[in-house]
Amino acid sequence: MSDYPRDLSGLSGPELVRLLLDATNPPPATDTERADFFDFKARVFATLARRDENPTAATIASRARSDRDRLLARIEDQNRGGR
C-alpha cells in the first residue's frame, strides 16, 4: 500500500498541491506505483472539487480514477498470466 495520506480533509489547497508534486519525485516507476499515484491524484482532485465546487477538478479526478482502473486491470491481467 502507498505512503500517501488517506485523510486529506484538513489540508489546504496549496498543501494538497505540494503533496501531489512530492508524489512525483521520484516519478512512480512500476504499474503498481503508478496505480497508487493515480488513486492519490483522484482523491486530491476530488477533495478540491468538493471544497471549491470546481468542475475542472472533478473532471481531473475522474480521469485519474480511469487511469488507475486501467493500470489495475493491466496488473490483474499480468498476474493471471496475460501478456
Side-chain angles (χ1 to χ4, degrees):
M1 201 62 192
S2 72
D3 293 332
Y4 303 124
R6 293 300 309 165
D7 183 12
L8 304 174
S9 61
L11 300 174
S12 69
E15 290 171 323
L16 290 168
V17 171
R18 173 53 47 205
L19 280 174
L20 188 62
L21 291 173
D22 288 347
T24 63
N25 187 19
T30 67
D31 282 348
T32 300
E33 290 173 350
R34 284 188 284 277
D36 283 344
F37 169 75
F38 282 120
D39 180 66
F40 180 61
K41 181 178 179 179
R43 291 187 300 109
V44 165
F45 279 95
T47 299
L48 291 170
R50 279 191 305 274
R51 188 177 295 163
D52 301 337
E53 297 181 13
N54 183 329
T56 302
T59 299
I60 294 168
S62 178
R63 287 180 184 157
R65 284 189 294 272
S66 293
D67 290 337
R68 176 206 58 205
D69 293 346
R70 179 183 46 80
L71 285 164
L72 290 174
R74 183 163 61 198
I75 292 166
E76 185 177 315
D77 185 51
Q78 290 170 350
N79 288 340
R80 283 193 315 251
R83 52 179 189 111

